[in-house]
Amino acid sequence: MTVMGVPKFERFFRAAAGLDVDKNDLKRYGDFVDAKLYDLLVVGQASAKANGRDTVEPWDLPITKGLQESIHRFRRLDEEVELKPILEQLAAHPPLDRTPAQETEERYPEIIGGLSVALAETFKIMYPDVKNPQTSHWDGVTAVFDRLL
């Protein structure tokens, strides 16, 4: 992540959930979004394969109602923070058996944004008094996402 992007991420987490993040948190955040985007793509790939397609279409991704609502909240927050251009840089993924369609790839920044909002809000639900998440908080929150996504 570029140094120029760090203040925007700090502002985003403050706006989304009143959290103060530092560079260590941003490394954890990058690892989190990489893993969760990959998880969504793996399931999308299985759906594409089951339907006899060579490409992963947007409807193949398992976007739940809750994640869709988080994507909508991200869009509202992004008007203030302007994080989407930075998220486009994070939207890389390893090669898959099925190639994501261009429309699917174009949705990555908003999907990552929705995951980011959900992540920030989950910190506040699980640890309402935390302002600066520590390793144990990250471990707890990511464990929840690992079981649900």
Side-chain angles (χ1 to χ4, degrees):
M1 179 173 318
T2 65
V3 175
M4 188 172 86
V6 172
K8 286 189 179 198
F9 275 100
E10 291 171 341
R11 201 168 54 209
F12 171 79
F13 277 95
R14 273 194 301 277
L19 296 172
D20 293 324
V21 295
D22 58 28
K23 288 182 184 179
N24 291 330
D25 293 318
L26 296 178
K27 164 74 170 102
R28 291 181 191 117
Y29 166 78
D31 293 344
F32 169 82
V33 295
D34 283 347
K36 294 303 115 196
L37 180 60
Y38 181 74
D39 291 347
L40 292 171
L41 288 169
V42 166
V43 174
Q45 176 178 264
S47 177
K49 183 177 181 178
N51 288 295
R53 283 184 276 99
D54 291 333
T55 60
V56 178
E57 300 296 333
W59 55 83
D60 291 319
L61 301 178
I63 305 295
T64 63
K65 177 183 176 278
L67 181 52
Q68 186 63 48
E69 290 170 354
S70 293
I71 290 169
H72 292 303
R73 286 192 297 278
F74 167 74
R75 288 177 184 145
R76 288 190 298 274
L77 276 171
D78 193 45
E79 290 175 10
E80 173 187 334
V81 180
E82 298 177 358
L83 194 59
K84 192 174 177 181
I86 296 169
L87 294 181
E88 289 172 352
Q89 297 171 8
L90 292 176
H93 61 83
L96 302 166
D97 292 340
R98 302 283 190 272
T99 304
Q102 181 176 347
E103 184 180 351
T104 304
E105 289 182 339
E106 289 170 355
R107 293 186 183 189
Y108 290 174
E110 286 190 340
I111 292 169
I112 292 171
L115 288 167
S116 303
V117 169
L119 173 72
E121 291 173 346
T122 302
F123 274 111
K124 292 315 281 185
I125 291 167
M126 291 180 66
Y127 311 105
D129 297 327
V130 166
K131 292 293 183 199
N132 187 346
Q134 302 300 308
T135 301
S136 63
H137 303 122
W138 277 94
D139 291 346
V141 170
T142 55
V144 168
F145 278 86
D146 287 344
R147 275 146 193 86
L148 297 174
L149 286 181

